[in-house]
Amino acid sequence: MRKAILLFVCSAAAALVAYEAGVFSILKSDARIGRQADGVHLVPTNQLLRPWGEQTLFPGRPVDLAFDSNKRVLAILNWRGVLFADASSGARLAEVKTLATSYTGVAFRPGDRELWVSETSRNGPDSIAIIEIDELGRAGKIDRIKLAENHPLPAGIAFSVDGATAYVAFSRSNTLAVVDAAGRRVAREIPVGMAPFGVAVAAKADKIFVTNRGGRGPAAGDTTAPSSGTDVVTDARTGSTPTGTVTVIDLASLAPREVAVGLAPSHMALSPDQKTLAVANGHSDSVSLLDTATLRKTDVAMPSYPEGSAGSLPVSAVFAADGKMVYVACGGINAIAVVTARGQGWALAGTLPTGYFPSALALGPEGALRVVSIKGNANTADSKGTFNSRQYE
């Protein structure tokens, strides 16, 4: 009897598959993952890539990037090092090997004679690598600030205007480290939210901003779950993090306060006049625009294409030079969303196609975007349609 029932179920399933294949025959394909005949790339998420602009491919897994003050050199944070490229042509100038890098954290110290890089590994030890830059812009030796043995996991880095102080997000410690840049030491740590990620210094507003991917700290009655040694607020039904916050720190007193934004806030961008802060909310498919003076917030949705797919995953942002546009890297749809100022508000204008999962972007000296995509064009090792998620380009 059991065999008969099983046979019937299998037959019914086969009939259903055959029926659906007939209905949706246009979706049937024997195309292999990778580059197709017309130049488009098919990736394992069933998405097609046809990125705009000029592409430069290199081995690795780039996650962050930064310009020097004159926007002549672009530093790209890669898997185990930093690539230096000419800001105008994209030509590769040099590559400096480091320890395993963090998932964000690269910044030129004001004066452009040092590049600071967050280094981490699965269980530590962690450090901040300081790459010396000579007067011709060439990378030299590496110094390091060795961090505490409790594996704080350094992430985003930003500097005071004079370069005397570096502010570094310690993701596992749930703090913002205040670093004496000349003395190469952590002077103090300021408690922030859970799993801090990005840091932005708005000197004109006398504030430091820190995104907290894990949201606020737990309160009495909250459902929590352990995350890398810390209890984080979670949704009782789904187990996901139900809050996202930005910690706002007064530059003079270093007193912190928190502002609610979307879920899993990541990179931030300040407008040229520092009056507006754009926050990319990865798990809310939105960007939050904060008035840096009043902290009033406007949210703009970043829809996914096609409608109903997994999500747009905004992870990074940058303002146009006139402050009237915000470009938002959306890893889930392999595109840059363009948000424009309209009257007193903001609205989505459209999207620009990129490579596979854009992770960070910056504005070049001529107003064009520089975008790094974690997985490039998803090229495969053997060009036969197989895919290895550990091979990056």
Side-chain angles (χ1 to χ4, degrees), residues 24 107 124 131 218 243 256 277 294 311 316 325 344 393:
F24 301 111
I131 303 171
T243 69
L277 179 76
T294 66
S316 187
M325 284 188 184
Q344 299 300 311
E393 181 181 70

Side-chain angles (χ1 to χ4, degrees), residues 10-300:
C10 290
S11 299
L16 179 60
V17 169
Y19 174 74
E20 289 189 344
V23 173
F24 301 111
S25 58
I26 194 171
L27 298 181
K28 293 175 64 178
S29 173
D30 59 1
R32 293 178 176 178
I33 290 171
R35 184 181 175 88
Q36 307 300 303
D38 62 353
V40 72
H41 284 79
L42 175 64
V43 298
T45 48
N46 291 329
Q47 295 170 309
L48 295 171
L49 303 180
R50 196 190 298 273
W52 283 16
E54 186 176 334
Q55 307 299 308
T56 301
L57 297 174
F58 53 86
R61 189 174 187 271
V63 292
D64 202 357
L65 74 173
F67 274 115
D68 67 347
S69 63
N70 295 311
K71 294 194 174 184
R72 293 182 301 185
V73 177
L74 184 66
I76 301 170
L77 185 64
N78 206 358
W79 190 242
R80 288 184 178 272
V82 178
L83 294 175
F84 290 87
D86 181 89
S88 298
S89 67
R92 183 165 160 174
L93 301 175
E95 181 176 6
V96 176
K97 296 294 185 182
T98 65
L99 305 178
T101 57
S102 188
Y103 41 73
T104 187
V106 59
F108 282 92
R109 183 182 175 190
D112 297 332
R113 300 302 295 272
E114 294 174 0
L115 181 76
W116 286 42
V117 177
S118 288
E119 296 178 318
T120 188
S121 59
R122 183 182 297 273
N123 298 307
D126 301 331
S127 54
I128 299 170
I130 302 172
I131 303 171
E132 293 186 1
I133 310 293
D134 69 15
E135 63 276 6
L136 298 178
R138 297 174 300 195
K141 70 174 186 177
I142 301 179
D143 193 7
R144 281 187 171 84
I145 301 174
K146 295 182 179 180
L147 302 178
E149 296 181 357
N150 62 350
H151 186 26
L153 207 167
I157 302 172
F159 285 93
S160 60
V161 174
D162 61 5
T165 305
Y167 303 99
V168 184
F170 279 1
S171 182
R172 290 189 72 252
S173 301
N174 306 309
T175 60
L176 178 72
V178 180
V179 182
D180 175 355
R184 304 282 202 262
R185 65 181 185 88
V186 177
R188 64 178 292 181
E189 294 183 43
I190 304 168
V192 293
M194 300 292 102
F197 182 91
V199 184
V201 177
K204 293 179 181 179
D206 295 318
K207 294 180 178 72
I208 307 166
F209 296 91
V210 182
T211 51
N212 303 305
R213 284 184 61 84
R216 62 173 176 80
D222 283 334
T223 300
T224 63
S227 175
S228 197
T230 300
D231 285 337
V232 175
V233 181
T234 56
D235 185 286
R237 183 177 60 86
T238 66
S240 62
T241 305
T243 69
T245 63
V246 169
T247 299
V248 185
I249 300 171
D250 180 79
L251 259 177
S253 66
L254 297 183
R257 57 174 292 193
E258 281 192 322
V259 175
V261 291
L263 303 181
S266 303
H267 288 287
M268 296 172 286
L270 280 166
S271 61
D273 61 7
Q274 297 191 2
K275 291 182 178 180
T276 306
L277 179 76
V279 182
N281 302 314
H283 292 177
S284 286
D285 292 347
S286 68
V287 60
S288 294
L289 293 138
L290 271 66
D291 183 308
T292 58
T294 66
L295 302 181
R296 284 195 299 265
K297 176 175 67 80
T298 300
D299 290 333
V300 179

Side-chain angles (χ1 to χ4, degrees), residues 96 111 182 272 279 328 338 371 387 390:
V96 176
V279 182
V328 185
V338 182
V371 183
F387 181 76
R390 292 180 178 272

